[in-house]
Amino acid sequence: DVKVTQSSRYLVKRTGEKVFLECVQDMDHENMFWYRQDPGLGLRLIYFSYDVKMKEKGDIPEGYSVSREKKERFSLILESASTNQTSMYLCASSSLAGGDNEQFFGPGTRLTVL
Amino acid sequence: KQEVTQIPAALSVPEGENLVLNCSFTDSAIYNLQWFRQDPGKGLTSLLLIQSSQREQTSGRLNASLDKSSGRSTLYIAASQPGDSATYLCAVEGPGANNLFFGTGTRLTVIP
């Protein structure tokens, strides 16, 4: 069974802290994605990566960075957490783009920044 | 930029009823369309994926159709059950991107 795992289900941090969200997939997928989900706004893409050490900005990259040192792992970094980054963060992975390219999602991390 | 709309935002139906959820998108140059289910506080579970060359996909009581030229998809749920209560999200891949563009979802409640 395919699996995307995220390091934490719930996380509480203070303003200004550096925050790491980890995502691991076991499907040997090339593509990995980080989204945030907010009520009324739906899912918005923060960053994605189509290969090791490669990254592309999504729609809302400000305040975030990412790291992909290994194919199976994609990390989202909040350099200095702020209250407006309180959200549900969802990681996903997929194989090569186009056609039969199903995205698989992790369980999500609900981050609260105080 | 691709925009995805889902109507209605919320829907309540009695158990056993058949129902249809709607999804529309603005740019027809898509690679595929995916329907997801999300339970409160949880991640997304993929239900069906329709490639751009396909018209429909079926899985159990679920049937999804795609009319790419008109920018529409429907998710048909037959004989609804209380366990179907969740938010259903539609997403399209493309044009020209690896990532998905999501609608804001339809929150379905099936009343026993």
Side-chain angles (χ1 to χ4, degrees):
Chain A
D1 203 15
V2 297
K3 188 168 282 188
V4 179
T5 58
Q6 295 183 229
S7 52
S8 304
R9 292 298 310 279
Y10 300 95
L11 209 53
V12 180
K13 296 292 182 180
R14 296 204 176 274
T15 301
E17 280 192 75
K18 191 169 186 176
V19 182
F20 293 86
L21 303 183
E22 305 284 343
C23 176
V24 177
Q25 50 95 3
D26 65 359
M27 295 163 280
D28 200 36
H29 281 165
E30 290 78 14
N31 301 324
M32 295 188 75
F33 308 85
W34 275 106
Y35 296 88
R36 66 177 279 177
Q37 185 178 29
D38 301 287
L41 298 176
L43 275 85
R44 294 178 291 167
L45 181 68
I46 304 171
Y47 268 97
F48 69 96
S49 168
Y50 52 87
D51 200 354
V52 175
K53 297 192 184 295
M54 305 301 289
K55 60 184 179 183
E56 294 284 343
K57 293 180 179 179
D59 296 323
I60 50 164
E62 297 78 19
Y64 303 94
S65 63
V66 290
S67 172
R68 190 153 181 215
E69 297 296 319
K70 293 184 178 182
K71 190 175 185 180
E72 68 270 18
R73 186 179 298 269
F74 192 34
S75 303
L76 180 69
I77 304 156
L78 287 65
E79 296 290 342
S80 177
S82 63
T83 55
N84 63 12
Q85 293 179 309
T86 292
S87 187
M88 171 72 114
Y89 290 87
L90 292 162
C91 173
S93 72
S94 69
S95 60
L96 295 175
D100 189 12
N101 181 30
E102 191 173 357
Q103 278 202 19
F104 296 91
F105 280 78
T109 296
R110 183 163 295 282
L111 172 67
T112 301
V113 182
L114 303 175
Chain B
K1 183 188 166 183
Q2 181 74 268
E3 291 183 7
V4 181
T5 304
Q6 290 185 248
I7 295 172
L11 181 64
S12 289
V13 300
E15 182 177 1
E17 197 163 289
N18 303 326
L19 60 101
V20 174
L21 307 180
N22 296 293
C23 172
S24 62
F25 47 95
T26 53
D27 193 323
S28 62
I30 64 170
Y31 298 124
N32 58 55
L33 182 144
Q34 210 168 340
W35 282 95
F36 294 91
R37 169 191 172 130
Q38 186 176 33
D39 293 290
K42 302 287 180 63
L44 276 64
T45 300
S46 179
L47 297 174
L48 290 164
L49 180 145
I50 310 176
Q51 297 184 42
S52 62
S53 58
Q54 297 174 326
R55 298 282 296 187
E56 66 177 344
Q57 283 287 337
T58 298
S59 176
R61 294 183 293 107
L62 305 180
N63 176 276
S65 68
L66 173 65
D67 183 343
K68 203 173 76 161
S69 60
S70 68
R72 295 179 190 275
S73 175
T74 61
L75 179 66
Y76 175 83
I77 302 178
S80 58
Q81 302 172 357
D84 295 331
S85 297
T87 296
Y88 290 81
L89 294 159
C90 162
V92 298
E93 182 184 358
N98 292 343
N99 58 290
L100 294 176
F101 295 91
F102 281 85
T104 51
T106 295
R107 188 172 71 251
L108 173 66
T109 303
V110 180
I111 303 165

